[in-house]
Amino acid sequence: MALLNIRNLTVRFATATGSFTAVDGVDVSVDRGEVLAIVGESGSGKSVSMLAVMGLLPDTATITADEMTYDGRDISNMTRAERRRLIGREITMIFQEPVASLNPSFTTGFQIEEVLRVNLGLSKREARARALDLFRAVGIPEPEEKLRAYPHQMSGGQCQRVMIAMAIASKPRLLIADEPTTALDVTIQKQILDLLMKLQEEYGMALILITHDMGVVAETADRVVVQYKGRKMEEADVLSLFEAPQHPYTRALLSALPENATGDRLPTVSDYYSQEAGR
Amino acid sequence: MSVVLEGRGITRDYHVPGGLFGGAKTVRALKGIDFKVEKGKTLAIVGESGSGKSTLGRIVALIDPATGGELLIDGKPVDITKARPGPGMRSRVQMVFQNPYGSLNPRQKIGNVLMEPLVINTKIPAAERRERAEAMLIRVGLGPEHFNRYPHMFSGGQRQRIAIARALMLNPALLVLDEPVSALDLSVQAQVLNLLADLQDEFGLTYVFVSHDLSVVRYIADEVMVISQGEAVEQGSREEVFANPRHPYTRQLFAATPVTDVEAIRARVARRKAARGAVTA
Ligand SMILES: Nc1ncnc2c1ncn2[C@@H]1O[C@H](COP(=O)(O)OP(=O)(O)OP(=O)(O)O)[C@@H](O)[C@H]1O
Ligand SMILES: Nc1ncnc2c1ncn2[C@@H]1O[C@H](COP(=O)(O)OP(=O)(O)OP(=O)(O)O)[C@@H](O)[C@H]1O
Ligand SMILES: [Mg+2]
Ligand SMILES: [Mg+2]
């Protein structure tokens, strides 16, 4: 049985110009110990579908699904209290915009220690020690000092690693990582991905990894879902996806790598579509 | 060719919280950086997280002052601690911040975000302001239907494109872009990079482009500067740096770039299966 199972998820937003369908009948399921990558164009509903699972969408959103279960339990009908026990402990999320997700008025150390005390019941002293371990694990330089720094005193990539540390602090069973390494160069990205894979293998954490980086997909995923304009275009195990991408958008995505630039211009997906159509 | 931007021995100090026993201390985030960028060219700044790229970007864009050294724009020294940049200078130099959400006012509709620089700095009439803003939305892959939406109603990559669109509204001569395409999928990324290249050809824009993505740098840069712990450890033309990376950090960057090669994926999948088998056995 899948750990998270979502069938036919639709999310609509009420906007000034009428209703807008951001996610249109998407299925997502992930097993214990599995790494599912979600790739797709910007604005195709990747973040919104996962925020729906977390119960973090604004009131303007209408969410419907045929099934939405975690560990066999229906999450759409949970009471607030039930959801709170789950979210932030068993299911955690690394948000896409790390700097915006941290509170500017508190030190990063205070924020992560708060998570540890509230969610894991650690004492102040234990929380401090564990926070330091976590900062080290995600490779934050001078971790003692950075625990006392405010978000604006840290670089973009350092804030991103604080977010990662907070999300893994409670040893979640399901981690949803939304573009977790966008602010990191490849060397630190590798360290972070290795860390996530280690946690994942050590205690069977399930990982949903939203990314636009096909290199990250190639190096971590078991299975891949490709999303385009709010819909799922293709789902395949990672090897098949790279060996024989089925959908034109997936092929376009793989051929849009900047190393495939011809002359002065980079190929876009629409270039690719018009090429395929012209064939 | 005229030099649009020059830095001489730029330094920047920050006061930061001390270690376990409290007390503030000063760290030098930039340790004397020299560079020159000619009109119509792109200087790419590459470097580890925390190396000082955004710090340098904000100094070049006249957002933050340098602690020491000299910054010259169009050959004239500029020191924002002595004289605040006037509207002329402000519209010549623009910045796209690394964190687009933080740089957008949550209560301002996107259309107004884009038109505001025109209201403040130009006498362009309202109808034309709107036209220009809508045209710009389309150029970054958004549409007029987004005009009346607030920042929180966009995806991460859409907000990144709004930040780029806003910076382009005033036709700046010098644009500092801090990781401007980091959240974009390859197709939208291509669209944005093509747009930047087109504008550079058309109007001779000069770019300072901070990025950790080497494939993007290889496409966009004329000159590359690699910084590590506040020092420029490697500087040269794109061809030189890519053909013959000299600094260990630059080489490490090349080596760690993930591979999308099918054989490598096959090997990894097999390793994972074997590891799993060992656990369940
Ligand atoms: N509160 C909202 N009101 C209206 N539309 C919204 C709202 N939040 C998101 N959207 C829209 O829903 C669509 C999906 O957004 P989502 O954030 O899921 O995209 P994404 O796939 O994560 O893209 P990216 O890769 O750029 O982060 C977008 O078109 C976005 O503009
Ligand atoms: N306002 C500040 N106060 C104190 N320290 C700061 C401040 N801003 C940045 N720093 C520190 O200066 C160093 C350089 O930061 P900067 O943001 O320039 O790095 P960066 O190269 O842009 O990194 P990234 O790739 O992660 O964005 C970091 O160690 C950071 O913690
Ligand atoms: Mg997103
Ligand atoms: Mg930065």
Side-chain angles (χ1 to χ4, degrees), chain B residues 84-158:
Chain B
R84 282 165 47 111
M89 184 60 92
R90 265 274 147 262
S91 47
R92 281 183 64 73
V93 183
Q94 288 284 308
M95 174 146 192
V96 178
F97 292 92
Q98 184 172 11
N99 158 27
Y101 211 174
S103 69
L104 294 169
N105 176 351
R107 279 180 289 276
Q108 193 174 33
K109 291 179 179 168
I110 293 316
N112 294 334
V113 168
L114 297 189
M115 293 189 301
E116 187 175 54
L118 299 179
V119 175
I120 297 176
N121 295 288
T122 73
K123 296 198 169 62
I124 296 169
E128 192 186 333
R129 285 200 298 263
R130 190 178 173 107
E131 258 169 49
R132 286 201 191 186
E134 287 187 353
M136 187 59 81
L137 276 177
I138 292 167
R139 290 196 88 168
V140 297
L142 297 168
E145 73 272 19
H146 295 118
F147 205 82
N148 284 320
R149 286 205 202 157
Y150 292 96
H152 77 269
M153 300 176 171
F154 289 89
S155 78
Q158 289 169 338

Side-chain angles (χ1 to χ4, degrees), chain A residues 13 20 22 42-48 96, chain B residues 149 153 155-158:
Chain A
F13 288 103
F20 172 78
S42 173
S44 63
K46 304 181 297 292
S47 301
V48 165
Q96 188 171 2
Chain B
R149 286 205 202 157
M153 300 176 171
S155 78
Q158 289 169 338

Side-chain angles (χ1 to χ4, degrees), chain A residues 154-157 183, chain B residues 48-50 52-55 58 98 178-179 210:
Chain A
M154 298 178 75
S155 80
Chain B
E48 224 169 335
S49 173
K53 304 182 295 296
S54 298
T55 301
R58 284 197 302 267
Q98 184 172 11
D178 195 351
E179 303 278 5
V210 176

Side-chain angles (χ1 to χ4, degrees), chain A residues 42 97 182 212 221 243 264, chain B residues 159 161 182 185 212 219 266:
Chain A
S42 173
E97 281 156 297
T182 45
H212 64 271
E243 248 177 354
D264 274 356
Chain B
R159 274 195 286 269
R161 287 177 273 159
S182 65
D185 68 282
H212 61 265
Y219 172 73
R266 195 189 306 281

Side-chain angles (χ1 to χ4, degrees), chain B:
Chain B
M1 259 286 146
S2 60
V3 172
V4 170
L5 172 70
E6 184 173 352
R8 295 182 190 153
I10 302 278
T11 62
R12 170 77 207 203
D13 295 343
Y14 285 122
H15 301 288
V16 298
L20 275 181
F21 303 105
K25 65 172 197 177
T26 303
V27 292
R28 179 145 287 193
L30 294 176
K31 298 172 183 158
I33 304 235
D34 301 311
F35 54 91
K36 268 188 197 165
V37 197
E38 288 177 356
K39 182 175 160 53
K41 300 284 180 196
T42 301
L43 168 69
I45 302 178
V46 184
E48 224 169 335
S49 173
S51 57
K53 304 182 295 296
S54 298
T55 301
L56 183 59
R58 284 197 302 267
I59 290 170
V60 169
L62 312 178
I63 309 284
D64 285 345
T67 306
E70 210 176 6
L71 183 73
L72 297 96
I73 291 181
D74 299 324
K76 291 183 215 68
V78 183
D79 182 351
I80 60 168
T81 56
K82 298 219 174 82
R84 282 165 47 111
M89 184 60 92
R90 265 274 147 262
S91 47
R92 281 183 64 73
V93 183
Q94 288 284 308
M95 174 146 192
V96 178
F97 292 92
Q98 184 172 11
N99 158 27
Y101 211 174
S103 69
L104 294 169
N105 176 351
R107 279 180 289 276
Q108 193 174 33
K109 291 179 179 168
I110 293 316
N112 294 334
V113 168
L114 297 189
M115 293 189 301
E116 187 175 54
L118 299 179
V119 175
I120 297 176
N121 295 288
T122 73
K123 296 198 169 62
I124 296 169
E128 192 186 333
R129 285 200 298 263
R130 190 178 173 107
E131 258 169 49
R132 286 201 191 186
E134 287 187 353
M136 187 59 81
L137 276 177
I138 292 167
R139 290 196 88 168
V140 297
L142 297 168
E145 73 272 19
H146 295 118
F147 205 82
N148 284 320
R149 286 205 202 157
Y150 292 96
H152 77 269
M153 300 176 171
F154 289 89
S155 78
Q158 289 169 338
R159 274 195 286 269
Q160 204 162 41
R161 287 177 273 159
I162 291 164
I164 294 172
R166 174 176 59 181
L168 289 171
M169 285 306 289
L170 286 169
N171 301 321
L174 170 64
L175 185 57
V176 179
L177 302 117
D178 195 351
E179 303 278 5
V181 295
S182 65
L184 303 179
D185 68 282
L186 290 171
S187 175
V188 175
Q189 174 177 301
Q191 186 183 353
V192 169
L193 294 177
N194 287 335
L195 169 65
L196 292 175
D198 290 347
L199 292 173
Q200 190 162 54
D201 290 346
E202 253 176 82
F203 302 108
L205 294 197
T206 305
Y207 296 137
V208 173
F209 195 103
V210 176
S211 176
H212 61 265
D213 186 334
L214 289 181
S215 58
V216 170
V217 170
R218 172 176 246 151
Y219 172 73
I220 195 109
D222 297 298
E223 301 282 319
V224 178
M225 170 158 81
V226 182
I227 47 181
S228 173
Q229 303 190 5
E231 277 176 278
V233 293
E234 182 148 3
Q235 248 165 320
S237 72
R238 168 185 61 177
E239 289 73 19
E240 280 163 17
V241 173
F242 276 83
N244 181 23
R246 278 190 301 259
H247 193 268
Y249 174 71
T250 321
R251 294 209 194 118
Q252 222 180 323
L253 271 185
F254 283 106
T257 299
V259 281
T260 50
D261 167 69
V262 170
E263 283 319 307
I265 300 174
R266 195 189 306 281
R268 179 181 66 81
V269 170
R271 264 199 318 276
R272 239 169 108 72
K273 273 217 178 94
R276 277 202 188 138
V279 172
T280 45

